[in-house]
Amino acid sequence: MNERVLAIYPHPDDETIGKAGTLINHVKNGDEVTLICATMGQMGRKMGKPFFANRETLTAIRKKELLDACEAIGIRDVRMWMMQDKTLQFREKSFLADKVQAVMDEVKPTLVYSYYPEYGVHPDHDALSDATILAINRLPRKERPVFLGSVISREGQDELGAPDIINDVSHVVHEKIKALQAHRSQTEHWLVAVTDPSISVQERKELLEKQSQEQFWIYRHKNI
Amino acid sequence: MRPIEKEKIQEKIDSFAKKEVFIHMETSTGSYIGVQNPDNIPACAYIRNEIIQFTEGKIVENEAWYSVGLKIKNGWIYVEGLTDWEMYDKDTLLLGGHDTEGNLKIGLQLSHRPFVCGE
Ligand SMILES: [Zn+2]
């Protein structure tokens, strides 16, 4: 049976870093994939290295980068909410949950990808994942999608233990690299290792190996 | 953006004086600064689209960077660490301070029209 996948993230590049390989696999399997990108990451401090964006051009640049990355991944259904970067934590949790719920009602996901609540480090990550859990918990138990969370904080890794899912995405790693390269303003400074001839074969191999593994933790719903 | 040109910027600052103008100011360490070392607490702030009016404004060269002070009715606006500038959309003044990685660490922008802002 095919999955219906809903990926819910606040910033362009969240869908790619640590997740693009997994999402590429879903697309290849014929699963329906929908992406919510809540903000445009328009207040990010990375402007490219060397910088080519400024505060005012960053919105359009990151929007284009997101669409290019989605094309590389194969995501056709992208919902851009155009909210203001870094402000999700100040919104009512129920307001964000309502927005998530509206999309869930429509796509009826069997799998939801987001950051793992409380362990996403960035306040936007945690605000949106928290609201997503609230939206999921509004559903009757048997209709709830499986929530696959990404953990950034060390604390999260310590408390949750080993990931529940480790995906080997080595067979699609070059497609993943294309998605990463699409987010040029955010990734070029470390991705040069893929193309720079002065980088050793060993270093490049290590980078590709690192990108070949993606890990997720299944959210354990509290009894509500 | 390109390296600060003090005289040109001073002219632009003067052109915004004694008028109601939109200001954008920001500074950021990045939200991920604590991931490697939890003792590092982020320090980030921005204000976007406040309307201000200043009577006098000046750009000053410090060491490898520049500072701007704007005298407003009830106080001062102060920004230190500027390295680059650009006129955007003809008459919007963008001033920024970048670190060696190209990250925007500090910014001051003045415009006659509101800056585009997310919801
Ligand atoms: Zn993010």
Side-chain angles (χ1 to χ4, degrees), chain A residues 10-11 13-14 115 125, chain B residues 32:
Chain A
H11 313 117
D13 81 10
D14 290 338
Y115 284 95
H125 295 172
Chain B
Y32 300 105

Side-chain angles (χ1 to χ4, degrees), chain A residues 155-172:
Chain A
E155 182 202 358
Q157 305 203 14
D158 291 345
E159 285 177 22
L160 294 173
D164 296 305
I165 295 172
I166 300 176
N167 288 334
D168 174 8
V169 299
S170 53
H171 57 295
V172 294

Side-chain angles (χ1 to χ4, degrees), chain A residues 200-213:
Chain A
S200 72
V201 175
Q202 182 57 26
E203 245 181 285
R204 188 166 304 130
K205 194 168 154 247
E206 277 167 21
L207 186 147
L208 290 176
E209 269 169 16
K210 191 164 173 258
Q211 291 303 322
S212 293
Q213 243 197 33

Side-chain angles (χ1 to χ4, degrees), chain A residues 41-75:
Chain A
Q42 59 273 73
M43 287 305 301
R45 61 205 280 276
K46 289 201 185 96
M47 297 290 170
K49 186 188 175 188
F51 58 85
F52 59 89
N54 65 47
R55 178 58 64 230
E56 301 313 307
T57 58
L58 192 63
T59 305
I61 287 170
R62 295 200 73 178
K63 187 175 177 183
K64 171 81 167 52
E65 290 177 346
L66 175 66
L67 293 174
D68 289 349
C70 284
E71 196 177 318
I73 295 169
I75 301 173

